[in-house]
Amino acid sequence: MSKKKPAKRIINNASRSFRIFTFGCQMNENDSEKISGMLKALGYVEEMDVNKAGLVILNTCSVRENADERVFGNIGAYKTVKKTNPDLILAVCGCMMQQPEIVNQIVSKYPQVDLVFGTHNLHQFPELLNNYMVNGKRLVEVWDDSDTIVEDLPVDRKYPFKGFVTIMNGCNNFCTYCIVPYTRGREVSRQPDKIFAEVKALVADGCAEVTLLGQNVNSYGNDLDETVNFASLLRQLNTIDNLKRIRFMTSHPKDLSDAVIDAIAACDKVCNYIHLPIQSGSTRVLKAMNRKYTQEDILDRVRAVREKIPGVAITTDLIVGFPGETEADFLETLKVIELCQFDSAFTFLYSIRTGTPAATMADQIPDAVKHDRINRCLEVLHRISHDINQTYQGQVVEVLVEEPSRNNPERMTGRTRTSKLVNFPGDPTDIGTQVMVKITAAKTFSLDGEKIEQEDTHGAADTHDDPIPANS
Ligand code: SAH
Ligand code: SF4
Ligand code: F3S
C-alpha cells in the first residue's frame, strides 16, 4: 500500500554540519570556498562523513560528458545515504544547474535533491537554505545571468598560505565546443580596487601566494575604465608588501598581448609560469573551434613569452578528436607541441556538449580514433616533460611547501615558481613557507630534492627564480 507523500518535510538539522564536494575547475573550487565561508559564518562546521552531515552540497561541473556522469552517479547514491541519514539536506549547485534540461531531469528523477541553485545566485545560498528549512519544500532557484559581482562574501580557504582570487566572471569567447559561456554568462570584471583590497587582506592573513582566476584573464578590464587591463592589474598587485607569488589562469592566446608579457617579466612576484591553452595546432581546426588565432600566432606568442620571461614554464590544454579533425590536422598539433616544448598539458577527448555549435557539426570522430590520438599526444608530451625536468637536476629552486606527500608523511610536497611539483624530506613545520631545495632526481611528473639551509640562500626567496645552479 502506498503512503501519501507529506508535502512538507520536517527538518531536524540540529547538527549544523556540512560537507561540500567540488567537481570542477578552480573557479568552481573558489565558489565552494565561498559556500563554505557562508556556512561557517552561520555557525556550521565541516563533517566529512556524509552519513552524519546535516547538509551535503554537490558543486557541479559540466565541461565534459564524464563530469556530468560523475555528478549524476553521486546524486543517485544519496538515495541510499538518505536512508541512513534521513535528516540530510542535499543541495546541488554549480555549472550543471545553469542548464535547464539538467535541472528538469533532477526535478523529475531525483527526489533526494532538496535544494538547487546556480552559479549566478551563489550568494543567495544562506537565504535559500533558510527558506528550505522553514518550509521543508524542495526549492529550485537559478538565475540565467548576472551583470554584477557580489563582493565581500566570506571565503573559507582550503590552504591558509595560498588563495584564489576571482578577478572576472563569465566568458565571451564562445569556442564552438565549450559549455562555459552558457553556464557562466558574459564576462564581468571586478573593480581593481576590490581585487587589490582582497589580495591585501589575504596577505595580512598570512597568504604568500595568490592565483588570479578568470576564463580569459587577458581580457580582464575590457568592460571597465580603459586604463584598466590585465597588465595594469599585475603591476598594481606586484606592489603589495609581503606577497610572495602571483599566479593567474587562464590565458587565451588571442589576447596575450606584449603588454601582458612585459608585465609578467617586469613584476618580480608574478611567477615565470603561464598556462596557455592552445587546444589544437591546426589552423583549420582552430578556425572551426572559433579560437581566433592560427598556428603561426601560437608560435609567435610562445616565442615572445620565452624571449621575455627567463626560465618560463608553459603548459597547455589540448582537445583531440574535434569534429572534422583529420590525421593531417592532428599531425599539426604534434608538430606544434614539439615546437613549443610545453612543460606539460591537460589533454582531453572532444566531448559533445549539447547546445554548443560543435555538437551538431558533421564528421564527429570515432572514439577509437580519439583514443589513438590522445595516446600519441601523451607519448610526445611525456617525453618533453621528462626532458625539461632533467634540466632541473642539480639546480636549487624555491619551493612553497603545501602538504605532506601523499604516500610518505615524512616527505613534504610543494611547487616551484614554474609550478613543478617537488618532493623532499621535511616536516610539517615547513608547510606554508618557502624553502630552497636542491633537485636530486627528475621524473616526468615531479622532481625530488633535498632542502638546503635558508642562511645559504639569503635573499633568494624573493627573486624571480630561474633555477639557480647549486654551486654558483
Ligand atoms: N577558459 C579556458 C578553458 C576552460 S575549460 C580557456 O579557454 O583556456 C578547460 C579546458 O577544458 C579547455 O581548455 C578545453 O581544453 C577543455 N574542454 C572544454 N570543453 C571541452 C569539450 N567539449 N570537450 C573536451 N574538452 C573540452
Ligand atoms: Fe570555453 Fe573558450 Fe571561454 Fe575557455 S575561452 S571558457 S574554452 S568558451
Ligand atoms: Fe569550471 Fe566546469 Fe564550470 S570547468 S566553469 S566548473 S563547467
Side-chain angles (χ1 to χ4, degrees), residues 49-67:
D49 183 350
V50 294
N51 290 307
K52 292 188 188 144
L55 170 67
V56 165
I57 302 119
L58 307 181
N59 191 8
T60 66
C61 168
S62 206
V63 77
R64 286 171 291 274
E65 195 179 358
N66 55 9

Side-chain angles (χ1 to χ4, degrees), residues 24-25 28 60-63 95 180 183-184 215:
C25 62
N28 197 236
T60 66
C61 168
S62 206
V63 77
C95 286
V180 172
T183 64
R184 292 272 170 179
Q215 292 302 343

Side-chain angles (χ1 to χ4, degrees), residues 171-175 177-181 215-216 252 279 291:
C171 180
N172 291 352
N173 293 305
F174 289 95
C175 302
Y177 50 81
C178 185
I179 198 77
V180 172
Q215 292 302 343
N216 175 10
H252 194 307
Q279 314 300 355
R291 290 290 288 182

